[in-house]
Amino acid sequence: MLWMVYAFVIGLVFGSFANVVIYRIPRGLSIVAPPSACTACGRRLTLLDLVPIASWLALKARCRYCRASVSMRYPVVELGCGMLFSSMVFYTESFSVIPLAFLWFLLLCVSMIDIDAGEIPMGLVSAGAVAGVAWVAGAHFVPELFPLAPVWHTALLGVVVAAALSWLVVFARVGFGFGNRQPLAVHMANGLGYVKLASMLGLFLGWQKTLLALWLAGVVFAVFTWRYIRKKDKPRLPFAPFLSGGGLIALWFGQPILHIIGIG
């Protein structure tokens, strides 16, 4: 329980950084410099303005200097990241908690950027892929430290399965006209981003849990698709949040589900 509390606090800090990543990457800004500032008045924020959740509550969701309103999404992202980090400690007490927490930090950032800007930042996906390779390699040479990592050939097959099946979702989005204000080339470029994101997730989950994650994401995505299918001006439906949610369920409950259906 104490480690879960520690992880929650660390997750809050990473959640605060996630807000910086989510805001700056789509705008082509550095996530390192300059320091955080109010998006309305441009005043540099102090440490008292940046305490996760507490600052937002103490300042009543307003900037200390210009009194501009601050979106509720900032504390929600911080709280979500804290809960994800804490849940990873609950899931495992091994060193696997480090790459898994990093994975869900990246997926949180990617999902929010996909919702806001409709793009998949390749820098974050590449960072996740490097972490996944390091995790699988570390488990191969020191298995007692990373007991939850998939075997290397299972992880490699997970990448292949994820890449193949995620293209089906991409073609479905194009075929049903979601995001129809965008040119086909933009659709396909975003689609390639989804394929790379799914492949990165497959590296962490292995082919069996990846198959389950994509099935879950596809089913829920299809439900949302059916809701809007008759509208002429169809909204752009980001797939990254569905994929991230499916991956989280597959990680947590994948083994018993796969055992029930006979492929675990």
Side-chain angles (χ1 to χ4, degrees), residues 18 68 92 111 130 150 169 177 201 256 262-263:
T92 176
S111 296
V130 171
V169 179
L201 187 60
I263 63 173

Side-chain angles (χ1 to χ4, degrees), residues 88 91-92 96-104 135 148 204 251:
M88 290 303 105
Y91 178 70
T92 176
S96 293
V97 71
I98 298 175
L100 288 176
F102 183 62
L103 169 67
W104 298 115
W135 187 37
L148 297 180
F204 279 86
L251 176 69

Side-chain angles (χ1 to χ4, degrees), residues 57-126:
L57 293 173
L59 296 172
K60 298 180 180 180
R62 293 191 176 276
C63 172
R64 181 191 302 274
Y65 309 103
C66 66
R67 307 308 296 167
S69 62
V70 179
S71 172
M72 179 183 256
R73 196 177 73 176
Y74 287 93
V76 169
V77 168
E78 292 166 353
L79 179 62
C81 196
M83 294 175 65
L84 282 172
F85 276 38
S86 184
S87 68
M88 290 303 105
V89 173
F90 181 78
Y91 178 70
T92 176
E93 296 180 358
S94 68
F95 280 99
S96 293
V97 71
I98 298 175
L100 288 176
F102 183 62
L103 169 67
W104 298 115
F105 166 78
L106 293 176
L107 289 177
L108 176 63
C109 293
V110 170
S111 296
M112 296 305 298
I113 291 173
D114 191 22
I115 291 172
D116 287 348
E119 64 182 63
I120 304 297
M122 287 299 102
L124 298 182
V125 176
S126 299

Side-chain angles (χ1 to χ4, degrees), residues 153-186:
H153 53 80
T154 303
L156 182 60
L157 191 54
V159 173
V160 175
V161 169
L165 294 182
S166 55
W167 272 119
L168 297 178
V169 179
V170 173
F171 291 134
R173 292 175 80 248
V174 175
F176 286 116
F178 287 93
N180 50 15
R181 295 179 179 178
Q182 296 175 319
L184 180 60
V186 176

